[in-house]
């Protein structure tokens, strides 16, 4: 059995009793996994460009840098051990937060007046 397969199950638990994600394993786009395998095999540190935000980060990806598309541009994401199990898209925000409009008003009210 592989690391992500049914070996996580205890002998008295049927495969139909577990969640689909445990039974099927983590999802990684095949084209992305192909690029990761090639980079690991050649020990390349080249940035891997991807649009696949839905792919799960696996232990094989640790140390690789991905350029994850956020809808407008590619955000560099260096994969560390703590990221394993998360999705690539979690580290490439799609929205830009400026500030709440109330913050601007309170700053103007509390600003010292010129003498």
């Amino acid at each position: 059995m592989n690391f992500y397969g049914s070996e996580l199950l205890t002998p008295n638990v049927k495969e139909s009793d577990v969640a689909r994600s445990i039974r099927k394993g983590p999802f990684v786009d095949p084209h992305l996994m192909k690029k990761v395998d090639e980079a690991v095999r050649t020990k390349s540190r080249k940035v891997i460009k991807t649009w696949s935000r839905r792919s799960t980060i696996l232990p094989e990806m640790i140390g690789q840098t991905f350029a994850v598309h956020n809808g407008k541009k590619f955000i560099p994401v260096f994969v560390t051990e703590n990221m394993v199990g998360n999705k690539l898209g979690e580290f490439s925000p799609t929205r830009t937060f400026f500030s709440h409009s109330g913050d601007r008003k309170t700053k103007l009210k509390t600003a010292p007046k010129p003498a």
Side-chain angles (χ1 to χ4, degrees):
M1 295 279 159
N2 63 5
F3 175 72
Y4 307 103
S6 300
E7 71 182 21
L8 301 174
L9 305 176
T10 56
N12 57 357
V13 177
K14 292 184 283 185
E15 193 168 327
S16 61
D17 293 340
V18 297
R20 180 176 182 268
S21 59
I22 293 173
R23 186 171 63 240
K24 295 189 75 158
F27 175 80
V28 180
D29 272 326
H31 64 85
L32 180 62
M33 199 62 212
K34 186 175 160 186
K35 291 178 183 180
V36 170
D37 289 340
E38 180 68 22
V40 169
R41 188 177 59 77
T42 61
K43 296 184 174 103
S44 171
R45 291 288 177 197
K46 196 172 179 183
V47 176
I48 300 171
K49 198 175 196 181
T50 183
W51 282 262
S52 179
R53 300 171 54 83
R54 63 188 180 168
S55 294
T56 306
I57 297 173
L58 301 179
E60 296 88 31
M61 299 177 180
I62 294 174
Q64 297 292 328
T65 303
F66 294 91
V68 184
H69 197 253
N70 73 347
K72 185 176 181 180
K73 59 183 181 177
F74 289 90
I75 308 295
V77 176
F78 179 76
V79 177
T80 61
E81 194 173 330
N82 296 336
M83 296 178 175
V84 173
N86 292 326
K87 304 285 185 182
L88 280 173
E90 294 179 45
F91 304 103
S92 176
T94 57
R95 298 185 176 131
T96 306
F97 176 75
F98 293 108
S99 70
H100 294 290
S101 61
D103 291 345
R104 217 175 17 248
K105 291 176 186 174
T106 57
K107 287 179 185 173
L108 291 175
K109 287 181 183 178
T110 60
K113 296 187 179 186

